[in-house]
Amino acid sequence: MSELKQAKSALISVFSKDGLEPIVKRLDELGVTIYSTGGTEKFIKDLGINVIPVEDITSYPSILGGRVKTLHPKVFGGILNRQENESDVKELEQYEIPQIDIVIVDLYPFEKTVASGASEQDIIEKIDIGGISLIRAAAKNFKDVTCVSSVDDYEEFLNLLNEKNGETSLADRKKFATKAFNISSHYDSAIFNYFNQEREVNSFKQSELQGKELRYGENPHQKGTFYGDFEAMFDKLHGKELSYNNLLDVDAAVNLMNEFKGEAPTFAILKHNNACGLAQRNTIHQAYVDALAGDPVSAFGGILISNVEIDAKTAEEIHKLFCEVVIAPSFSAEALEILKGKKNRILLVLKDIELPKDQVRTCLNGVLVQDKDLKTDAPADLKLATHNKATDEELSDMIFASKICKHTKSNTIVLAKNKQLCASGTGQTSRVDALKQSIEKAHSFNFDLNGAVMASDAFFPFPDCVEIAGNAGITAVIQPGGSIKDQLSIDYCNENNIAMVMTGTRHFKH
């Protein structure tokens, strides 16, 4: 038989009617017999187009409050029959089952209902049974049936109808079948994840419907794709397409700045997922100037992020720097015009949405899943370990430094003073090396470390770090504690007038 098929009948049962009218009208023009039920049937009738109720096929009404409408052999037989199979064709004739060539379905919005905070009863009622069954049946039998499984595919299907006058090729039908199984598997994954919120079933399922192919991956010889709804988080106002590395840096920037949400104007500059500059001031302009001073060399080609609107004065300073991406909750009109002066500079408005609470990464031949590190050290968490008490300014700086430390690659040491990042040692194999790197870097940019504070992502196994820090002028230290040799570090601090607090929380980041 020819792989080209002319549609003669269609079953339509959809939740969303947006964009359905031109499809229905085109099918009617092509002489396609239309079957439908419930609200979709009424919608088609109101268009003045002839539609046959599914009940006329099944001789059975919609029952159980609409829970059972299309689940019937006369419906599924019309979809699943193999038209080249003589036995199937004879059974259709024997049981008076109409052939169905097109199935158009749009499922109940289960995920939107969950996101709305609806009751469990309302959520359960939005688990589509008939629709998902129709999709699977039509997609399975793609050799004979075209399956349109989402409102997002209405336009593409309408174009196909117009281009080929109701005729489809095997490739057309298989493409729509692939889309259909994408929809059905995603839908079932969402339902499973809703039921498995307590992780009683030790199984991992993550599904993203949208994918965007990137120019390349981490390096030019690697392919890269982003799967997710980027537009749900950002409005992209200007610039080139984001790269794989841009996206990783943007992710790091957003998670870091989330620590300072609702606080005084704060500006951060990141490079390779780590902050190279960060400051909190009374104005965002001064916060940017002082963040840049933290490492004006690494800032070149960096990712910039603000926790408040970027104004024209700040934009003028930013415009002097070559940077890949600038992120803010908003930009003034003047600032936007200034920053658009570089055609490739990416400008993103960060929407006020909740960030994911899980982290997922590939590992060996599987995946690792963990709760995101949502613990932010607060004054109430601090346990004074030394006789020397930190001043209010030192306490404030230690909390500030701890937030940065939490988002810096381990092993790390962060040095801060007056709500400004002086330097950090990042991704070192020893804590001593991280500390030495941070001190050397701070001195290279002319920071006076006398009175500065030190934050560590993990405990000190030996007193060498506090000794090196003390010699550099550090007067207060924040660390998790927990080493069997904690007392050695405490003793050194007591003997050298250094205040030390312990949080009890480690913040490794690998």
Side-chain angles (χ1 to χ4, degrees):
M1 296 180 66
S2 172
E3 68 166 25
L4 292 173
K5 291 190 177 295
Q6 182 70 43
K8 298 178 180 178
S9 60
L11 171 60
I12 308 176
S13 180
V14 302
F15 178 83
S16 177
K17 316 298 189 296
D18 294 339
L20 184 62
E21 180 177 342
I23 291 176
V24 172
K25 288 182 175 178
R26 183 58 177 147
L27 290 173
D28 185 56
E29 290 172 1
L30 293 168
V32 175
T33 301
I34 299 175
Y35 302 94
S36 191
T37 185
T40 308
E41 177 192 344
K42 182 180 182 303
F43 174 84
I44 296 171
K45 281 182 177 178
D46 289 346
L47 294 175
I49 293 173
N50 187 47
V51 56
I52 300 173
V54 168
E55 290 87 340
D56 288 2
I57 303 174
T58 64
S59 300
Y60 228 98
S62 172
I63 62 173
L64 306 181
R67 279 190 163 197
V68 180
K69 290 181 276 193
T70 57
L71 295 169
H72 194 281
K74 283 198 170 184
V75 174
F76 282 84
I79 298 170
L80 284 166
N81 73 89
R82 294 156 293 187
Q83 293 179 26
E84 77 281 2
N85 186 300
E86 291 184 11
S87 177
D88 285 7
V89 173
K90 287 181 179 179
E91 287 189 52
L92 290 187
E93 295 174 355
Q94 179 182 355
Y95 297 108
E96 298 180 332
I97 299 174
Q99 170 66 40
I100 296 174
D101 302 311
I102 299 170
V103 172
I104 303 176
V105 175
D106 183 64
L107 299 170
Y108 291 157
F110 177 82
E111 289 179 281
K112 288 183 179 178
T113 305
V114 172
S116 73
S119 67
E120 182 173 279
Q121 181 179 348
D122 289 339
I123 290 170
I124 298 304
E125 287 305 314
K126 285 297 185 290
I127 298 177
D128 206 312
I129 303 301
I132 203 78
S133 302
L134 290 170
I135 286 174
R136 291 180 64 83
K140 176 179 179 176
N141 201 27
F142 69 88
K143 286 188 175 180
D144 294 313
V145 182
T146 303
C147 180
V148 182
S149 54
S150 168
V151 62
D152 295 332
D153 294 328
Y154 287 0
E155 183 177 357
E156 182 178 350
F157 179 64
L158 178 61
N159 290 337
L160 186 66
L161 285 178
N162 290 330
E163 289 171 10
K164 297 187 176 181
N165 295 316
E167 197 173 58
T168 58
S169 67
L170 181 61
D172 293 330
R173 297 189 296 277
K174 191 170 185 178
K175 179 181 178 181
F176 276 100
T178 303
K179 287 173 171 280
F181 284 120
N182 182 35
I183 291 291
S184 65
S185 62
H186 178 82
Y187 198 77
D188 284 340
S189 292
I191 295 169
F192 168 77
N193 287 330
Y194 170 75
F195 276 90
N196 199 42
Q197 293 179 68
E198 302 301 321
R199 299 181 182 174
E200 294 178 355
V201 177
N202 195 9
S203 178
F204 172 72
K205 289 178 174 62
Q206 180 169 318
S207 175
E208 294 290 347
L209 285 174
Q210 300 184 50
K212 181 176 179 56
E213 187 173 338
L214 306 173
R215 295 196 305 275
Y216 51 81
E218 200 162 7
N219 299 292
H221 63 277
Q222 296 170 267
K223 290 184 178 180
T225 307
F226 173 73
Y227 294 100
D229 188 359
F230 187 82
E231 285 73 25
M233 285 194 66
F234 299 99
D235 286 325
K236 183 170 178 283
L237 305 181
H238 182 72
K240 64 182 180 180
E241 292 297 317
L242 282 95
S243 69
Y244 182 98
N245 292 327
N246 287 157
L247 290 166
L248 286 176
D249 283 331
V250 167
D251 177 72
V254 168
N255 281 286
L256 170 59
M257 193 53 72
N258 197 52
E259 300 285 348
F260 301 94
K261 189 175 182 179
E263 295 189 10
T266 307
F267 207 104
I269 304 172
L270 289 88
K271 196 73 171 290
H272 295 295
N273 307 162
N274 295 304
C276 59
L278 197 152
Q280 188 173 85
R281 295 293 182 258
N282 292 326
T283 67
I284 197 59
H285 172 263
Q286 194 59 49
Y288 169 73
V289 169
D290 291 347
L292 181 63
D295 186 347
V297 176
S298 295
F300 183 86
I303 306 297
L304 281 56
I305 186 167
S306 168
N307 71 339
V308 297
E309 180 174 277
I310 292 179
D311 56 23
K313 186 177 181 181
T314 308
E316 287 173 352
E317 290 295 328
I318 293 173
H319 193 55
K320 299 173 184 177
L321 175 73
F322 168 71
C323 56
E324 291 275 334
V325 184
V326 184
I327 310 165
S330 60
F331 297 82
S332 72
E334 297 88 346
L336 197 55
E337 285 306 308
I338 293 167
L339 294 173
K340 282 183 175 180
K342 299 287 179 67
K343 67 176 183 178
N344 288 329
R345 181 185 286 144
I346 300 165
L347 304 179
L348 300 176
V349 170
L350 175 62
K351 299 179 182 179
D352 187 16
I353 69 167
E354 185 177 357
L355 298 176
K357 295 181 179 179
D358 294 332
Q359 284 184 317
V360 181
R361 65 193 301 179
T362 59
C363 181
L364 302 176
N365 61 345
V367 295
L368 282 171
V369 181
Q370 69 169 352
D371 298 332
K372 185 180 283 188
D373 184 0
L374 298 175
K375 173 63 177 175
T376 299
D377 297 328
D381 302 317
L382 307 185
K383 180 181 178 182
L384 183 64
T386 56
H387 301 315
N388 310 296
K389 292 184 178 180
T391 65
D392 289 345
E393 290 77 11
E394 288 171 335
L395 284 170
S396 181
D397 277 344
M398 285 192 286
I399 293 297
F400 174 84
S402 175
K403 290 178 178 180
I404 302 171
C405 193
K406 171 183 166 183
H407 293 273
T408 305
K409 191 170 181 64
S410 299
N411 286 309
T412 184
I413 292 290
V414 169
L415 306 180
K417 184 178 179 180
N418 299 329
K419 296 288 186 70
Q420 181 182 21
L421 172 62
C422 299
S424 59
T426 62
Q428 298 301 300
T429 52
S430 82
R431 202 155 303 283
V432 170
D433 285 346
L435 175 56
K436 289 180 177 178
Q437 181 191 56
S438 62
I439 292 172
E440 181 182 352
K441 187 173 181 181
H443 287 158
S444 73
F445 293 115
N446 300 315
F447 280 100
D448 179 5
L449 294 179
N450 288 300
V453 305
M454 173 174 72
S456 176
D457 58 341
F459 64 63
F460 300 116
F462 303 102
D464 47 5
C465 280
V466 290
E467 182 178 353
I468 295 169
N471 290 333
I474 303 298
T475 56
V477 177
I478 181 171
Q479 59 129 328
S483 169
I484 60 174
K485 295 184 178 181
D486 272 345
Q487 193 60 46
L488 294 177
S489 294
I490 293 170
D491 290 343
Y492 182 87
C493 289
N494 282 332
E495 293 165 5
N496 291 274
N497 201 34
I498 299 172
M500 178 186 287
V501 297
M502 296 185 179
T503 65
T505 303
R506 188 180 74 186
H507 291 294
F508 271 163
K509 183 175 184 285
H510 292 110

